[in-house]
Short mmCIF file of all heavy atoms in Angstrom, two decimals:
data_model
loop_
_atom_site.label_atom_id
_atom_site.label_comp_id
_atom_site.label_asym_id
_atom_site.label_seq_id
_atom_site.Cartn_x
_atom_site.Cartn_y
_atom_site.Cartn_z
N MET A 368 66.27 -180.35 -75.40
CA MET A 368 66.02 -180.42 -76.82
C MET A 368 64.77 -179.58 -77.12
O MET A 368 63.80 -179.60 -76.38
CB MET A 368 65.81 -181.86 -77.26
CG MET A 368 65.59 -181.96 -78.73
SD MET A 368 65.36 -183.58 -79.51
CE MET A 368 65.80 -184.77 -78.33
N THR A 369 64.83 -178.88 -78.25
CA THR A 369 63.72 -178.05 -78.66
C THR A 369 63.10 -178.63 -79.92
O THR A 369 63.80 -179.11 -80.80
CB THR A 369 64.23 -176.62 -78.97
OG1 THR A 369 64.87 -176.12 -77.81
CG2 THR A 369 63.10 -175.70 -79.36
N THR A 370 61.78 -178.59 -80.00
CA THR A 370 61.07 -179.07 -81.18
C THR A 370 60.48 -177.88 -81.92
O THR A 370 59.94 -176.97 -81.30
CB THR A 370 59.93 -180.03 -80.76
OG1 THR A 370 60.50 -181.11 -80.01
CG2 THR A 370 59.20 -180.58 -81.96
N VAL A 371 60.60 -177.88 -83.24
CA VAL A 371 60.02 -176.82 -84.06
C VAL A 371 59.12 -177.46 -85.10
O VAL A 371 59.24 -178.64 -85.41
CB VAL A 371 61.10 -175.96 -84.75
CG1 VAL A 371 61.95 -175.23 -83.74
CG2 VAL A 371 61.98 -176.79 -85.65
N ASN A 372 58.19 -176.69 -85.64
CA ASN A 372 57.26 -177.17 -86.65
C ASN A 372 57.61 -176.62 -88.02
O ASN A 372 58.04 -175.47 -88.14
CB ASN A 372 55.82 -176.75 -86.32
CG ASN A 372 55.30 -177.45 -85.10
OD1 ASN A 372 55.58 -178.62 -84.88
ND2 ASN A 372 54.54 -176.73 -84.29
N LEU A 373 57.41 -177.44 -89.03
CA LEU A 373 57.55 -176.98 -90.41
C LEU A 373 56.26 -176.32 -90.83
O LEU A 373 55.19 -176.86 -90.61
CB LEU A 373 57.81 -178.16 -91.35
CG LEU A 373 59.20 -178.76 -91.35
CD1 LEU A 373 59.21 -180.03 -92.17
CD2 LEU A 373 60.19 -177.77 -91.91
N SER A 374 56.37 -175.15 -91.46
CA SER A 374 55.17 -174.50 -91.97
C SER A 374 54.84 -175.13 -93.33
O SER A 374 55.64 -175.90 -93.87
CB SER A 374 55.39 -173.00 -92.10
OG SER A 374 56.22 -172.73 -93.20
N PRO A 375 53.68 -174.83 -93.92
CA PRO A 375 53.31 -175.43 -95.20
C PRO A 375 54.32 -175.20 -96.32
O PRO A 375 54.42 -176.00 -97.24
CB PRO A 375 51.97 -174.77 -95.53
CG PRO A 375 51.40 -174.41 -94.20
CD PRO A 375 52.59 -174.03 -93.36
N LYS A 376 55.09 -174.11 -96.25
CA LYS A 376 56.10 -173.84 -97.29
C LYS A 376 57.49 -174.28 -96.84
O LYS A 376 58.49 -173.97 -97.47
CB LYS A 376 56.10 -172.36 -97.66
CG LYS A 376 54.82 -171.97 -98.38
CD LYS A 376 54.91 -170.56 -98.89
CE LYS A 376 53.63 -170.21 -99.62
NZ LYS A 376 53.69 -168.85 -100.18
N PHE A 377 57.60 -174.98 -95.74
CA PHE A 377 58.80 -175.62 -95.19
C PHE A 377 59.83 -174.74 -94.51
O PHE A 377 60.90 -175.23 -94.18
CB PHE A 377 59.50 -176.48 -96.25
CG PHE A 377 58.67 -177.65 -96.68
CD1 PHE A 377 57.94 -177.60 -97.85
CD2 PHE A 377 58.58 -178.78 -95.89
CE1 PHE A 377 57.16 -178.66 -98.25
CE2 PHE A 377 57.79 -179.85 -96.28
CZ PHE A 377 57.09 -179.79 -97.47
N PRO A 378 59.62 -173.46 -94.23
CA PRO A 378 60.65 -172.77 -93.45
C PRO A 378 60.66 -173.23 -91.99
O PRO A 378 59.63 -173.66 -91.47
CB PRO A 378 60.28 -171.30 -93.54
CG PRO A 378 58.90 -171.23 -94.06
CD PRO A 378 58.57 -172.56 -94.67
N LEU A 379 61.82 -173.17 -91.40
CA LEU A 379 61.98 -173.49 -89.98
C LEU A 379 62.35 -172.22 -89.24
O LEU A 379 63.09 -171.39 -89.75
CB LEU A 379 63.13 -174.49 -89.78
CG LEU A 379 62.88 -175.92 -90.20
CD1 LEU A 379 64.16 -176.72 -90.09
CD2 LEU A 379 61.81 -176.55 -89.33
N VAL A 380 61.88 -172.10 -88.02
CA VAL A 380 62.26 -170.98 -87.17
C VAL A 380 63.24 -171.52 -86.14
O VAL A 380 62.95 -172.46 -85.42
CB VAL A 380 61.03 -170.36 -86.47
CG1 VAL A 380 61.46 -169.28 -85.50
CG2 VAL A 380 60.06 -169.81 -87.50
N ILE A 381 64.43 -170.90 -86.10
CA ILE A 381 65.43 -171.29 -85.10
C ILE A 381 65.05 -170.61 -83.79
O ILE A 381 64.92 -169.38 -83.75
CB ILE A 381 66.84 -170.88 -85.55
CG1 ILE A 381 67.17 -171.57 -86.88
CG2 ILE A 381 67.87 -171.23 -84.48
CD1 ILE A 381 68.44 -171.07 -87.53
N PRO A 382 64.86 -171.37 -82.74
CA PRO A 382 64.43 -170.78 -81.46
C PRO A 382 65.40 -169.69 -80.97
O PRO A 382 66.61 -169.77 -81.19
CB PRO A 382 64.42 -171.97 -80.51
CG PRO A 382 64.23 -173.15 -81.39
CD PRO A 382 64.97 -172.83 -82.65
N GLN A 383 64.85 -168.68 -80.30
CA GLN A 383 65.62 -167.53 -79.84
C GLN A 383 66.80 -167.93 -78.97
O GLN A 383 67.89 -167.38 -79.11
CB GLN A 383 64.71 -166.57 -79.08
CG GLN A 383 65.42 -165.31 -78.63
CD GLN A 383 64.52 -164.37 -77.88
OE1 GLN A 383 63.49 -164.78 -77.35
NE2 GLN A 383 64.87 -163.11 -77.84
N LYS A 384 66.61 -168.88 -78.09
CA LYS A 384 67.68 -169.31 -77.20
C LYS A 384 68.89 -169.81 -78.00
O LYS A 384 70.04 -169.50 -77.67
CB LYS A 384 67.16 -170.42 -76.28
CG LYS A 384 68.11 -170.85 -75.22
CD LYS A 384 67.46 -171.88 -74.31
CE LYS A 384 68.39 -172.33 -73.21
NZ LYS A 384 67.76 -173.30 -72.31
N ILE A 385 68.65 -170.56 -79.07
CA ILE A 385 69.73 -171.09 -79.91
C ILE A 385 70.34 -169.97 -80.74
O ILE A 385 71.57 -169.89 -80.91
CB ILE A 385 69.21 -172.23 -80.80
CG1 ILE A 385 68.81 -173.41 -79.90
CG2 ILE A 385 70.25 -172.65 -81.82
CD1 ILE A 385 68.10 -174.52 -80.62
N ARG A 386 69.50 -169.06 -81.27
CA ARG A 386 70.03 -167.92 -82.04
C ARG A 386 70.98 -167.08 -81.21
O ARG A 386 72.05 -166.68 -81.68
CB ARG A 386 68.88 -167.05 -82.56
CG ARG A 386 68.04 -167.70 -83.63
CD ARG A 386 67.11 -166.69 -84.32
NE ARG A 386 66.40 -165.80 -83.42
CZ ARG A 386 65.14 -165.97 -83.03
NH1 ARG A 386 64.45 -167.00 -83.44
NH2 ARG A 386 64.56 -165.09 -82.23
N LYS A 387 70.60 -166.82 -79.97
CA LYS A 387 71.46 -166.02 -79.10
C LYS A 387 72.74 -166.76 -78.76
O LYS A 387 73.82 -166.19 -78.77
CB LYS A 387 70.71 -165.64 -77.82
CG LYS A 387 69.71 -164.55 -78.02
CD LYS A 387 69.07 -164.14 -76.70
CE LYS A 387 68.14 -162.96 -76.91
NZ LYS A 387 67.57 -162.50 -75.63
N PHE A 388 72.64 -168.04 -78.44
CA PHE A 388 73.81 -168.83 -78.08
C PHE A 388 74.82 -168.89 -79.22
O PHE A 388 76.03 -168.78 -79.00
CB PHE A 388 73.38 -170.26 -77.68
CG PHE A 388 74.53 -171.14 -77.31
CD1 PHE A 388 75.15 -171.00 -76.07
CD2 PHE A 388 74.99 -172.10 -78.18
CE1 PHE A 388 76.22 -171.81 -75.72
CE2 PHE A 388 76.05 -172.91 -77.84
CZ PHE A 388 76.67 -172.77 -76.61
N LEU A 389 74.33 -169.05 -80.46
CA LEU A 389 75.21 -169.15 -81.63
C LEU A 389 75.48 -167.81 -82.30
O LEU A 389 76.21 -167.75 -83.28
CB LEU A 389 74.60 -170.12 -82.65
CG LEU A 389 74.50 -171.57 -82.19
CD1 LEU A 389 73.78 -172.41 -83.23
CD2 LEU A 389 75.88 -172.14 -81.90
N ASN A 390 74.88 -166.73 -81.77
CA ASN A 390 75.06 -165.39 -82.32
C ASN A 390 74.67 -165.35 -83.81
O ASN A 390 75.41 -164.86 -84.65
CB ASN A 390 76.49 -164.90 -82.12
CG ASN A 390 76.62 -163.41 -82.28
OD1 ASN A 390 75.67 -162.67 -82.06
ND2 ASN A 390 77.79 -162.96 -82.67
N ILE A 391 73.49 -165.89 -84.11
CA ILE A 391 72.98 -165.92 -85.48
C ILE A 391 72.17 -164.66 -85.74
O ILE A 391 71.38 -164.23 -84.90
CB ILE A 391 72.09 -167.16 -85.70
CG1 ILE A 391 72.91 -168.44 -85.49
CG2 ILE A 391 71.49 -167.15 -87.10
CD1 ILE A 391 72.09 -169.69 -85.51
N HIS A 392 72.38 -164.06 -86.93
CA HIS A 392 71.70 -162.82 -87.29
C HIS A 392 70.91 -163.00 -88.58
O HIS A 392 71.25 -163.84 -89.41
CB HIS A 392 72.72 -161.70 -87.46
CG HIS A 392 73.52 -161.44 -86.23
ND1 HIS A 392 73.01 -160.80 -85.13
CD2 HIS A 392 74.79 -161.76 -85.91
CE1 HIS A 392 73.93 -160.72 -84.20
NE2 HIS A 392 75.02 -161.31 -84.64
N PRO A 393 69.86 -162.19 -88.78
CA PRO A 393 69.09 -162.26 -90.03
C PRO A 393 70.01 -162.02 -91.24
O PRO A 393 70.91 -161.19 -91.20
CB PRO A 393 68.08 -161.12 -89.90
CG PRO A 393 67.95 -160.87 -88.45
CD PRO A 393 69.30 -161.19 -87.86
N GLY A 394 69.79 -162.80 -92.28
CA GLY A 394 70.58 -162.67 -93.50
C GLY A 394 71.86 -163.49 -93.51
O GLY A 394 72.52 -163.59 -94.52
N GLN A 395 72.21 -164.08 -92.37
CA GLN A 395 73.42 -164.90 -92.31
C GLN A 395 73.20 -166.17 -93.12
O GLN A 395 72.13 -166.75 -93.13
CB GLN A 395 73.74 -165.25 -90.86
CG GLN A 395 75.07 -165.94 -90.68
CD GLN A 395 75.46 -166.05 -89.22
OE1 GLN A 395 74.76 -165.56 -88.34
NE2 GLN A 395 76.58 -166.69 -88.97
N LYS A 396 74.24 -166.62 -93.81
CA LYS A 396 74.14 -167.82 -94.63
C LYS A 396 74.38 -169.07 -93.80
O LYS A 396 75.20 -169.08 -92.89
CB LYS A 396 75.13 -167.76 -95.79
CG LYS A 396 74.81 -166.67 -96.78
CD LYS A 396 75.73 -166.75 -97.97
CE LYS A 396 75.44 -165.63 -98.92
NZ LYS A 396 74.35 -165.87 -99.79
N VAL A 397 73.63 -170.13 -94.14
CA VAL A 397 73.74 -171.41 -93.46
C VAL A 397 73.74 -172.51 -94.52
O VAL A 397 72.91 -172.50 -95.42
CB VAL A 397 72.53 -171.62 -92.50
CG1 VAL A 397 72.60 -172.97 -91.82
CG2 VAL A 397 72.45 -170.51 -91.48
N GLN A 398 74.69 -173.43 -94.43
CA GLN A 398 74.69 -174.59 -95.31
C GLN A 398 73.81 -175.66 -94.68
O GLN A 398 73.85 -175.86 -93.47
CB GLN A 398 76.09 -175.14 -95.50
CG GLN A 398 76.99 -174.25 -96.31
CD GLN A 398 78.37 -174.88 -96.49
OE1 GLN A 398 78.80 -175.72 -95.71
NE2 GLN A 398 79.05 -174.44 -97.53
N VAL A 399 73.04 -176.36 -95.52
CA VAL A 399 72.15 -177.42 -95.04
C VAL A 399 72.44 -178.68 -95.83
O VAL A 399 72.52 -178.65 -97.06
CB VAL A 399 70.67 -177.01 -95.23
CG1 VAL A 399 69.74 -178.09 -94.70
CG2 VAL A 399 70.38 -175.68 -94.57
N PHE A 400 72.61 -179.79 -95.13
CA PHE A 400 72.83 -181.07 -95.80
C PHE A 400 72.36 -182.20 -94.90
O PHE A 400 72.07 -182.00 -93.73
CB PHE A 400 74.30 -181.24 -96.21
CG PHE A 400 75.28 -181.09 -95.07
CD1 PHE A 400 75.75 -182.19 -94.40
CD2 PHE A 400 75.74 -179.84 -94.71
CE1 PHE A 400 76.65 -182.05 -93.35
CE2 PHE A 400 76.65 -179.69 -93.67
CZ PHE A 400 77.10 -180.81 -93.00
N SER A 401 72.27 -183.39 -95.48
CA SER A 401 71.83 -184.54 -94.69
C SER A 401 73.03 -185.43 -94.37
O SER A 401 73.92 -185.61 -95.19
CB SER A 401 70.76 -185.33 -95.44
OG SER A 401 71.30 -185.89 -96.61
N VAL A 402 73.01 -185.98 -93.16
CA VAL A 402 74.06 -186.88 -92.70
C VAL A 402 73.39 -188.06 -92.01
O VAL A 402 72.75 -187.89 -90.98
CB VAL A 402 75.01 -186.17 -91.71
CG1 VAL A 402 76.08 -187.13 -91.21
CG2 VAL A 402 75.64 -184.94 -92.33
N GLN A 403 73.49 -189.23 -92.59
CA GLN A 403 72.94 -190.45 -92.01
C GLN A 403 71.49 -190.27 -91.55
O GLN A 403 71.12 -190.58 -90.43
CB GLN A 403 73.82 -190.92 -90.86
CG GLN A 403 75.22 -191.28 -91.30
CD GLN A 403 76.10 -191.70 -90.15
OE1 GLN A 403 75.75 -191.56 -88.98
NE2 GLN A 403 77.27 -192.22 -90.48
N GLY A 404 70.66 -189.70 -92.43
CA GLY A 404 69.25 -189.54 -92.13
C GLY A 404 68.91 -188.37 -91.23
O GLY A 404 67.79 -188.23 -90.77
N ARG A 405 69.87 -187.50 -90.98
CA ARG A 405 69.65 -186.31 -90.15
C ARG A 405 69.92 -185.06 -90.98
O ARG A 405 70.66 -185.10 -91.94
CB ARG A 405 70.59 -186.31 -88.95
CG ARG A 405 70.33 -187.47 -88.04
CD ARG A 405 71.25 -187.42 -86.86
NE ARG A 405 70.90 -188.50 -85.95
CZ ARG A 405 71.74 -189.06 -85.12
NH1 ARG A 405 72.98 -188.64 -85.06
NH2 ARG A 405 71.35 -190.02 -84.33
N ILE A 406 69.34 -183.95 -90.55
CA ILE A 406 69.59 -182.67 -91.20
C ILE A 406 70.63 -181.93 -90.39
O ILE A 406 70.51 -181.82 -89.17
CB ILE A 406 68.29 -181.83 -91.29
CG1 ILE A 406 67.24 -182.57 -92.11
CG2 ILE A 406 68.59 -180.46 -91.90
CD1 ILE A 406 65.88 -181.90 -92.08
N ALA A 407 71.66 -181.42 -91.07
CA ALA A 407 72.72 -180.67 -90.40
C ALA A 407 72.77 -179.25 -90.95
O ALA A 407 72.58 -179.03 -92.15
CB ALA A 407 74.06 -181.36 -90.61
N PHE A 408 73.00 -178.29 -90.08
CA PHE A 408 73.12 -176.89 -90.44
C PHE A 408 74.51 -176.42 -90.03
O PHE A 408 74.92 -176.62 -88.89
CB PHE A 408 72.08 -176.04 -89.70
CG PHE A 408 70.66 -176.37 -90.05
CD1 PHE A 408 69.96 -177.33 -89.34
CD2 PHE A 408 70.02 -175.71 -91.08
CE1 PHE A 408 68.65 -177.64 -89.65
CE2 PHE A 408 68.71 -176.02 -91.41
CZ PHE A 408 68.03 -176.98 -90.70
N ILE A 409 75.22 -175.79 -90.95
CA ILE A 409 76.55 -175.25 -90.67
C ILE A 409 76.53 -173.77 -91.00
O ILE A 409 76.19 -173.37 -92.12
CB ILE A 409 77.64 -175.95 -91.53
CG1 ILE A 409 77.64 -177.45 -91.30
CG2 ILE A 409 79.00 -175.34 -91.25
CD1 ILE A 409 78.05 -177.90 -89.94
N LEU A 410 76.89 -172.92 -90.04
CA LEU A 410 76.95 -171.49 -90.28
C LEU A 410 78.11 -171.18 -91.21
O LEU A 410 79.20 -171.71 -91.05
CB LEU A 410 77.14 -170.74 -88.97
CG LEU A 410 76.01 -170.88 -87.95
CD1 LEU A 410 76.40 -170.21 -86.65
CD2 LEU A 410 74.74 -170.28 -88.49
N VAL A 411 77.85 -170.35 -92.21
CA VAL A 411 78.88 -169.94 -93.15
C VAL A 411 79.46 -168.62 -92.65
O VAL A 411 78.75 -167.63 -92.53
CB VAL A 411 78.30 -169.75 -94.58
CG1 VAL A 411 79.35 -169.25 -95.53
CG2 VAL A 411 77.69 -171.06 -95.06
N ASN A 412 80.75 -168.64 -92.34
CA ASN A 412 81.41 -167.44 -91.85
C ASN A 412 82.08 -166.70 -93.00
O ASN A 412 82.66 -167.33 -93.89
CB ASN A 412 82.47 -167.80 -90.80
CG ASN A 412 81.85 -168.29 -89.52
OD1 ASN A 412 80.89 -167.70 -89.04
ND2 ASN A 412 82.39 -169.35 -88.97
N PRO A 413 82.02 -165.37 -92.97
CA PRO A 413 82.71 -164.60 -94.01
C PRO A 413 84.22 -164.82 -93.91
O PRO A 413 84.74 -165.09 -92.82
CB PRO A 413 82.35 -163.15 -93.72
CG PRO A 413 81.76 -163.13 -92.36
CD PRO A 413 81.34 -164.52 -92.02
N PRO A 414 84.94 -164.72 -95.03
CA PRO A 414 86.40 -164.98 -95.01
C PRO A 414 87.15 -164.17 -93.96
O PRO A 414 88.09 -164.67 -93.37
CB PRO A 414 86.84 -164.59 -96.42
CG PRO A 414 85.62 -164.79 -97.26
CD PRO A 414 84.46 -164.45 -96.37
N ARG A 415 86.73 -162.95 -93.69
CA ARG A 415 87.43 -162.12 -92.70
C ARG A 415 87.37 -162.74 -91.31
O ARG A 415 88.29 -162.59 -90.52
CB ARG A 415 86.85 -160.72 -92.66
CG ARG A 415 87.22 -159.90 -93.86
CD ARG A 415 86.66 -158.49 -93.72
NE ARG A 415 86.88 -157.76 -94.94
CZ ARG A 415 87.80 -156.83 -95.07
NH1 ARG A 415 88.55 -156.50 -94.05
NH2 ARG A 415 87.96 -156.21 -96.22
N LYS A 416 86.30 -163.45 -90.99
CA LYS A 416 86.18 -164.10 -89.68
C LYS A 416 87.00 -165.38 -89.60
O LYS A 416 87.21 -165.91 -88.52
CB LYS A 416 84.71 -164.41 -89.38
CG LYS A 416 83.93 -163.25 -88.87
CD LYS A 416 82.60 -163.74 -88.33
CE LYS A 416 82.01 -162.72 -87.40
NZ LYS A 416 80.80 -163.21 -86.77
N MET A 417 87.42 -165.90 -90.74
CA MET A 417 88.16 -167.16 -90.77
C MET A 417 89.66 -166.98 -90.58
O MET A 417 90.39 -167.94 -90.48
CB MET A 417 87.90 -167.88 -92.10
CG MET A 417 86.45 -168.26 -92.33
SD MET A 417 85.79 -169.35 -91.08
CE MET A 417 86.61 -170.85 -91.52
N GLY A 418 90.13 -165.75 -90.53
CA GLY A 418 91.56 -165.49 -90.36
C GLY A 418 92.11 -166.18 -89.12
O GLY A 418 91.56 -166.05 -88.04
N GLY A 419 93.21 -166.90 -89.30
CA GLY A 419 93.87 -167.55 -88.17
C GLY A 419 93.27 -168.88 -87.78
O GLY A 419 93.72 -169.51 -86.83
N VAL A 420 92.26 -169.37 -88.51
CA VAL A 420 91.59 -170.61 -88.14
C VAL A 420 92.54 -171.82 -88.23
O VAL A 420 92.37 -172.80 -87.52
CB VAL A 420 90.30 -170.82 -88.95
CG1 VAL A 420 90.60 -171.19 -90.38
CG2 VAL A 420 89.42 -171.86 -88.30
N LEU A 421 93.55 -171.75 -89.09
CA LEU A 421 94.49 -172.86 -89.26
C LEU A 421 95.84 -172.61 -88.58
O LEU A 421 96.80 -173.31 -88.84
CB LEU A 421 94.70 -173.15 -90.76
CG LEU A 421 93.45 -173.56 -91.53
CD1 LEU A 421 93.77 -173.74 -93.00
CD2 LEU A 421 92.85 -174.82 -90.96
N LYS A 422 95.89 -171.64 -87.70
CA LYS A 422 97.13 -171.30 -87.00
C LYS A 422 97.67 -172.53 -86.26
O LYS A 422 96.93 -173.20 -85.55
CB LYS A 422 96.86 -170.17 -86.01
CG LYS A 422 98.10 -169.68 -85.32
CD LYS A 422 97.76 -168.52 -84.41
CE LYS A 422 99.01 -168.03 -83.71
NZ LYS A 422 98.72 -166.91 -82.83
N GLY A 423 98.93 -172.82 -86.47
CA GLY A 423 99.58 -173.92 -85.78
C GLY A 423 99.43 -175.27 -86.45
O GLY A 423 99.93 -176.26 -85.96
N ILE A 424 98.74 -175.33 -87.60
CA ILE A 424 98.58 -176.61 -88.29
C ILE A 424 99.92 -177.08 -88.85
O ILE A 424 100.71 -176.28 -89.34
CB ILE A 424 97.51 -176.51 -89.40
CG1 ILE A 424 97.16 -177.90 -89.92
CG2 ILE A 424 97.98 -175.64 -90.53
CD1 ILE A 424 95.94 -177.92 -90.83
N GLY A 425 100.20 -178.35 -88.71
CA GLY A 425 101.45 -178.91 -89.22
C GLY A 425 101.47 -178.94 -90.74
O GLY A 425 100.48 -179.26 -91.38
N THR A 426 102.61 -178.62 -91.32
CA THR A 426 102.74 -178.62 -92.78
C THR A 426 103.78 -179.62 -93.24
O THR A 426 104.21 -179.59 -94.39
CB THR A 426 103.11 -177.21 -93.29
OG1 THR A 426 104.34 -176.82 -92.68
CG2 THR A 426 102.03 -176.21 -92.99
N ASP A 427 104.22 -180.52 -92.36
CA ASP A 427 105.28 -181.45 -92.71
C ASP A 427 104.75 -182.78 -93.25
O ASP A 427 105.52 -183.67 -93.57
CB ASP A 427 106.19 -181.70 -91.51
CG ASP A 427 105.42 -182.19 -90.29
OD1 ASP A 427 104.18 -182.04 -90.28
OD2 ASP A 427 106.05 -182.72 -89.36
N GLY A 428 103.46 -182.93 -93.39
CA GLY A 428 102.87 -184.17 -93.89
C GLY A 428 102.99 -184.29 -95.40
O GLY A 428 103.46 -183.38 -96.09
N PRO A 429 102.57 -185.45 -95.95
CA PRO A 429 102.64 -185.63 -97.41
C PRO A 429 101.70 -184.68 -98.13
O PRO A 429 100.65 -184.32 -97.62
CB PRO A 429 102.19 -187.09 -97.61
CG PRO A 429 101.41 -187.40 -96.38
CD PRO A 429 101.98 -186.58 -95.28
N ARG A 430 102.11 -184.27 -99.31
CA ARG A 430 101.30 -183.35 -100.12
C ARG A 430 100.92 -184.02 -101.41
O ARG A 430 101.62 -184.87 -101.93
CB ARG A 430 102.06 -182.06 -100.39
CG ARG A 430 102.32 -181.28 -99.13
CD ARG A 430 102.96 -179.98 -99.44
NE ARG A 430 103.16 -179.26 -98.22
CZ ARG A 430 102.61 -178.10 -97.95
NH1 ARG A 430 101.83 -177.51 -98.83
NH2 ARG A 430 102.85 -177.50 -96.82
N GLU A 431 99.78 -183.62 -101.94
CA GLU A 431 99.30 -184.17 -103.20
C GLU A 431 100.17 -183.65 -104.33
O GLU A 431 100.52 -182.47 -104.39
CB GLU A 431 97.86 -183.70 -103.39
CG GLU A 431 97.09 -184.53 -104.37
CD GLU A 431 95.62 -184.11 -104.39
OE1 GLU A 431 94.98 -184.15 -103.34
OE2 GLU A 431 95.17 -183.74 -105.48
N GLN A 432 100.51 -184.53 -105.25
CA GLN A 432 101.33 -184.16 -106.40
C GLN A 432 100.42 -183.79 -107.57
O GLN A 432 99.39 -184.42 -107.78
CB GLN A 432 102.25 -185.31 -106.81
CG GLN A 432 103.23 -185.71 -105.73
CD GLN A 432 104.20 -184.58 -105.40
OE1 GLN A 432 104.67 -183.88 -106.28
NE2 GLN A 432 104.47 -184.39 -104.11
N GLY A 433 100.80 -182.77 -108.34
CA GLY A 433 100.03 -182.36 -109.51
C GLY A 433 100.09 -183.40 -110.60
O GLY A 433 101.03 -184.19 -110.70
N ARG A 434 99.07 -183.42 -111.45
CA ARG A 434 99.05 -184.37 -112.58
C ARG A 434 99.96 -183.90 -113.68
O ARG A 434 100.12 -182.72 -113.92
CB ARG A 434 97.63 -184.51 -113.12
CG ARG A 434 96.72 -185.21 -112.16
CD ARG A 434 95.40 -185.47 -112.79
NE ARG A 434 94.58 -186.21 -111.86
CZ ARG A 434 93.40 -186.70 -112.16
NH1 ARG A 434 92.91 -186.54 -113.36
NH2 ARG A 434 92.72 -187.37 -111.26
N VAL A 435 100.54 -184.85 -114.37
CA VAL A 435 101.44 -184.53 -115.48
C VAL A 435 100.73 -184.69 -116.79
O VAL A 435 99.87 -185.44 -116.99
CB VAL A 435 102.69 -185.44 -115.44
CG1 VAL A 435 103.57 -185.16 -116.62
CG2 VAL A 435 103.41 -185.26 -114.13
#
């Protein structure tokens, strides 16, 4: 586990080891939210990188009906 410090203006620095492991680059977007008292970061991938992410998903389940 790695510990980081908050600066007076609250930015966090993601340690180099984690940046390399997750292939994070400057300018990349990250969603931030809280979950049960914890902070979670989710990398936002551009739509082109998301191609095929749902390949093989079943479509035979119930579907939501539109309102009348």
Side-chain angles (χ1 to χ4, degrees):
M368 182 178 348
T369 303
T370 303
V371 297
N372 292 323
L373 284 171
S374 74
K376 292 187 179 182
F377 294 100
L379 287 173
V380 175
I381 300 170
Q383 183 180 21
K384 186 176 181 179
I385 294 172
R386 291 192 314 261
K387 284 185 175 183
F388 179 76
L389 295 175
N390 197 27
I391 299 173
H392 301 286
Q395 188 170 357
K396 293 186 183 278
V397 178
Q398 290 181 336
V399 182
F400 55 95
S401 64
V402 178
Q403 298 178 350
R405 297 182 176 153
I406 299 172
F408 296 90
I409 303 293
L410 297 174
V411 177
N412 290 316
R415 287 183 187 255
K416 280 192 160 185
M417 298 300 287
V420 73
L421 299 177
K422 184 178 180 179
I424 191 170
T426 58
D427 56 343
R430 295 184 179 242
E431 200 173 303
Q432 298 297 319
R434 291 187 177 186
V435 177

